[in-house]
Each structure stands twice: as C-alpha cells, then as structure tokens.
C-alpha cells in the first residue's frame, strides 16, 4: 500500500482506469483497453499514458509478468472516494456543508436500506452549536452577514 498519507487527486479519465483495476485486482493494459475502448473510444496508447500517470502518482503498482506489465492498485476505492469527497468539501464554505449534503440526499436515488443507513448515521450524529466560516475574504457572504447582525 502507499506510504504517503497525501490526499490522492486523480482525473476523471484516470478514475475510469482505476475502477477497472479495483474490480479486476491485477490487469494489463490490453485488457483495460478492450474493456474501455467501446464506451470511451480510448486507444491502447491512451490507456498506457493514463496507467503511466497513475504509477507516477503512486496509486498503481506495475510488475512485469512474462511479456506483459500487470497493474494493481496501491489505494482502495473507498479511500479514493473519501479523498475526493474531502477535496470537494475543502472548496465549500464550512457553513454550507450540511445544506450540500441535504441537496445530495434529495437528488440521488436511494433504497429503503440506504435511507435506513442514513437515518442511523444521523441519529448518532452529535450536533455542534455553531460552525465557523472558513472562507477567505470575498469568497462567501458569511462574514458580511455576521457584520450586519452585530
Ligand atoms: Zn464562508
């Protein structure tokens, strides 16, 4: 597994490759190319470029097996999703995080089980009395509203 705890940033295209690697565990460029060529229209060269970037980013391990290079993941799908979510929230005013989550819940399709899981998480969640805005000046209205109130 990866040694650094730096958040992973992968592009949308790289993410498509990673999903195949996570699913297949160990896979070569030709197999990935065959799986994604129809939907993505990627040639083997494109797949190899993306694989090379992912190896450089320390998220893929590559090993020569016979004539082929086999790729395997150094980071889990769950870890990558968490990292992307944390990255997204770093771009949102802390005050608006709750509203953003509420918007997601209303927009995605959820099963009865999903709703039960979310309700369970919410029932155990400890509320805080207030949230401090973490934006830079000029990035949101929070500071102005505070000034208007005081
Ligand atoms: Zn703010």
């Amino acid at each position: 597994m990866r040694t650094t705890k730096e958040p992973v940033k992968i592009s949308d295209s790289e993410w498509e490759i990673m999903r195949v690697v996570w699913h297949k565990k160990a896979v070569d460029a030709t197999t990935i190319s065959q799986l994604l060529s129809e939907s993505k229209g990627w040639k083997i060269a494109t797949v190899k470029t993306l694989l090379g970037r992912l190896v450089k980013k320390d998220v893929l391990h590559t090993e020569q097996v016979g004539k082929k290079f086999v790729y395997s993941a150094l980071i889990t799908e769950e870890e990558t999703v968490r990292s992307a979510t944390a990255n997204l929230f770093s771009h949102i005013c802390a005050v608006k995080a709750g509203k953003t989550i509420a918007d997601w819940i209303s927009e995605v399709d959820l099963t009865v089980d999903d709703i039960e899981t979310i309700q369970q998480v919410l029932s155990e969640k400890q509320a805080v009395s207030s949230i401090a805005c973490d934006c830079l000046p000029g990035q949101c209205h929070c500071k102005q509203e505070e000034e208007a109130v005081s």
Side-chain angles (χ1 to χ4, degrees):
M1 287 286 129
R2 297 169 84 236
T3 45
T4 82
K5 275 288 148 210
E6 281 287 291
V8 186
K9 280 187 185 165
I10 59 173
S11 71
D12 291 347
S13 299
E14 289 163 1
W15 202 303
E16 296 295 333
I17 301 277
M18 288 307 292
R19 290 188 67 185
V20 176
V21 179
W22 284 319
H23 181 66
K24 297 273 175 193
K25 309 277 193 279
V27 65
D28 65 281
T30 310
T31 307
I32 296 172
S33 169
Q34 282 163 355
L35 287 164
L36 296 178
S37 65
E38 204 177 307
S39 56
K40 295 281 157 195
W42 292 342
K43 298 208 168 72
I44 184 86
T46 307
V47 170
K48 283 183 175 170
T49 301
L50 293 167
L51 285 168
R53 284 185 201 157
L54 289 162
V55 170
K56 244 186 184 167
K57 287 184 185 182
D58 210 16
V59 294
L60 279 187
H61 169 75
T62 180
E63 206 175 333
Q64 193 165 5
V65 180
K67 283 183 176 178
K68 289 176 184 171
F69 281 96
V70 173
Y71 296 84
S72 54
L74 294 171
I75 181 170
T76 64
E77 185 166 16
E78 194 187 23
E79 204 180 328
T80 310
V81 171
R82 270 176 197 271
S83 204
T85 311
N87 182 45
L88 173 67
F89 276 100
S90 76
H91 297 304
I92 300 172
C93 173
V95 178
K96 293 177 188 139
K99 171 78 170 69
T100 303
I101 293 166
D103 285 345
W104 279 351
I105 291 173
S106 56
E107 279 164 27
V108 298
D109 291 331
L110 297 169
T111 64
V112 170
D113 283 354
D114 292 330
I115 291 169
E116 272 175 17
T117 303
I118 294 165
Q119 280 170 337
Q120 183 64 30
V121 170
L122 277 179
S123 71
E124 288 166 9
K125 185 73 183 172
Q126 294 287 323
V128 294
S129 54
S130 69
I131 297 166
C133 164
D134 55 351
C135 302
L136 300 175
Q139 289 184 334
C140 80
H141 294 294
C142 301
K143 300 255 161 66
Q144 280 156 268
E145 280 160 21
E146 273 169 29
E147 279 160 23
V149 169
S150 60

